[in-house]
């Protein structure tokens, strides 16, 4: 088949991947290879149709067919629910209507300059009921936790510092940081309905954290040592990012640091996760992924100087700033 046609049919791959996640195929292959008949008996699926699905996924390295059996591959490992780096919940969320429909109307976004999501559902992304539901939060947390682990292992937080996790959701990153660094304390800051469901209430972390709520465009907790904004900027246009940075600049002491953690789009034509996520952001929100010069320009305009750039993974780079 012509490669261009193959690309045009790419939506079939994402649908097949989502189906395999729903059927927990990777979990069923964890103890060893199995035939499509065996997997169908376990999952309740149609054996001939399941075979065709797995054969298709095997062409992309998701599972491997050998002598009539399907094997778990390294690429498919994160589809397991109990994998240390599980992405199953995230894959399931990405297959929901709130993601699929805007992608199908990407032409409307490119033509109008507005997110297709708002045109389809009649409300901004973060106001949709599914986005505030538990399934969405669990899916986002699965992806976010991988980045949190990488950030915590990579960045050297100052001894005795207070970490302010701005827009920190339920506190997954802050929890990971406090678990690894016993000398740190932290503040989780987000909207009231979000921080109400925080995950910080663990015996080993007692007395080392507090939760505050509010609108980070208006103000953030004062006198922290390190202000962290992980995967926040991609959701907002430059004007709103500058409002957020202005609130942080007002609160941060002279010795403080700000960490903007997001994917950074590199130059050139090579594939990169940031370029993919940027199209997702385009269809859902008014935000975008950015290049390093674009991040630097935002920080400089808000009164910060970029002091360090630390690549963490293809999905995340730490851009450290200090008050100018």
């Amino acid at each position: 088949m012509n490669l261009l046609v193959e690309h045009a049919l790419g939506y079939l791959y994402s649908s097949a991947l989502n189906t395999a996640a729903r059927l927990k195929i990777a979990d069923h292959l964890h103890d060893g290879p199995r035939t499509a008949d065996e997997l169908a008996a376990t999952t309740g699926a149609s054996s001939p149709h399941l075979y065709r699905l797995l054969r298709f996924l095997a062409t992309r390295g998701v599972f491997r067919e050998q002598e009539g059996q399907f094997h778990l591959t390294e690429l498919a490992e994160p589809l397991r629910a109990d994998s240390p780096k599980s992405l199953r919940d995230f894959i399931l969320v990405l297959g929901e209507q709130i993601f699929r429909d805007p992608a199908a109307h990407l032409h409307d976004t490119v033509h109008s300059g507005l997110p297709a999501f708002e045109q389809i559902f009649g409300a901004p992304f973060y106001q949709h009921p599914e986005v505030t539901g538990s399934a969405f939060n669990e899916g986002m947390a699965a992806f976010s936790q991988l980045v949190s682990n990488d950030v915590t292992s990579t960045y050297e937080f100052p001894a005795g510092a207070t970490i302010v996790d701005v827009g920190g959701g339920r506190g997954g990153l802050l929890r990971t940081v406090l678990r690894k660094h016993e000398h740190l304390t932290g503040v989780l800051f987000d909207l009231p309905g979000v921080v109400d469901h925080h995950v910080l209430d663990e015996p080993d972390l007692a007395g080392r954290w507090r939760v505050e709520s509010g609108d980070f465009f208006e103000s953030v907790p004062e006198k922290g040592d390190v202000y962290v904004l992980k995967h926040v900027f991609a959701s907002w246009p430059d004007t709103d990012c500058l409002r957020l940075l202005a609130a942080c600049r007002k609160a941060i002491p002279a010795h403080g640091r700000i960490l903007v953690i997001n994917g950074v789009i590199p130059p050139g034509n090579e594939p990169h996760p940031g370029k993919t996520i940027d199209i997702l952001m385009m269809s859902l929100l008014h935000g975008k992924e950015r290049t390093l010069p674009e991040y630097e320009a935002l920080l400089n305009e808000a009164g910060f100087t970029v002091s360090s750039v630390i690549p963490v993974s293809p999905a995340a780079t730490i851009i450290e700033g200090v008050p100018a």
Side-chain angles (χ1 to χ4, degrees):
M1 185 187 298
N2 182 283
L3 182 58
L4 196 60
V5 175
E6 184 82 13
H7 287 322
L9 292 172
Y11 62 89
L12 295 177
Y13 175 54
S14 60
S15 183
L17 192 61
N18 185 269
T19 300
R22 289 180 181 276
L23 294 175
K24 300 182 179 179
I25 299 299
D27 297 272
H28 297 311
L29 294 178
H30 180 52
D31 293 328
R34 304 178 71 178
T35 66
D37 287 341
E38 292 170 333
L39 290 167
T42 301
T43 62
S46 162
S47 179
H49 291 81
L50 181 58
Y51 171 77
R52 290 158 66 184
L53 179 88
L54 298 179
R55 178 179 62 185
F56 172 58
L57 288 172
T59 66
R60 305 292 186 96
V62 183
F63 312 123
R64 184 181 78 255
E65 183 182 9
Q66 185 175 350
E67 297 179 354
Q69 293 184 315
F70 288 93
H71 298 245
L72 190 64
T73 61
E74 182 179 355
L75 181 60
E77 185 70 22
L79 284 177
R80 287 175 42 219
D82 61 350
S83 169
K85 296 185 176 182
S86 179
L87 287 171
R88 179 178 179 271
D89 287 341
F90 188 51
I91 297 297
L92 290 175
V93 166
L94 291 179
E96 295 297 327
Q97 185 180 12
I98 57 172
F99 288 100
R100 292 197 320 267
D101 286 4
H105 290 79
L106 187 61
H107 58 283
D108 291 329
T109 291
V110 173
H111 184 267
S112 69
L114 299 172
F117 187 96
E118 296 183 10
Q119 301 175 57
I120 295 167
F121 296 103
F125 181 75
Y126 285 118
Q127 293 180 17
H128 191 281
E130 282 191 38
V131 176
T132 59
S134 59
F136 177 85
N137 287 328
E138 289 171 6
M140 294 300 105
F143 173 73
S144 180
Q145 188 59 51
L146 298 182
V147 176
S148 297
N149 292 340
D150 292 336
V151 168
T152 305
S153 300
T154 303
Y155 187 76
E156 292 189 21
F157 291 91
T162 295
I163 313 302
V164 182
D165 192 359
V166 179
R170 297 188 300 172
L173 171 63
L174 186 58
R175 178 181 60 181
T176 303
V177 170
L178 295 181
R179 280 175 174 174
K180 185 174 179 61
H181 303 287
E182 296 181 357
H183 60 278
L184 300 177
T185 58
V187 182
L188 175 64
F189 184 78
D190 211 315
L191 295 171
V194 177
V195 297
D196 289 346
H197 304 285
H198 70 80
V199 295
L200 297 171
D201 197 8
E202 296 184 357
D204 291 346
L205 305 183
R208 296 173 52 211
W209 58 270
R210 72 179 190 271
V211 170
E212 294 188 25
S213 61
D215 181 351
F216 58 39
F217 291 125
E218 301 297 328
S219 64
V220 301
E222 296 183 348
K223 299 179 181 179
D225 299 298
V226 181
Y227 286 75
V228 180
L229 298 91
K230 179 173 74 69
H231 288 161
V232 175
F233 275 33
S235 297
W236 306 100
D238 288 353
T239 51
D240 286 333
C241 289
L242 287 171
R243 290 172 60 203
L244 171 54
L245 285 171
C248 292
R249 183 65 182 85
K250 184 177 180 181
I252 195 169
H255 69 271
R257 311 178 190 180
I258 188 168
L259 306 183
V260 175
I261 303 170
N262 255 109
V264 172
I265 296 181
N269 299 314
E270 295 303 313
H272 188 273
K275 298 176 183 179
T276 304
I277 297 299
D278 184 52
I279 298 300
L280 180 64
M281 293 297 100
M282 182 196 300
S283 67
L284 301 178
L285 298 155
H286 292 273
K288 61 179 182 179
E289 293 287 289
R290 294 172 172 86
T291 64
L292 182 57
E294 287 175 324
Y295 280 117
E296 290 175 333
L298 286 173
L299 285 162
N300 290 341
E301 186 171 345
F304 292 95
T305 298
V306 174
S307 52
S308 181
V309 177
I310 307 170
V312 173
S313 70
T317 293
I318 301 172
I319 304 169
E320 179 190 69
V322 295

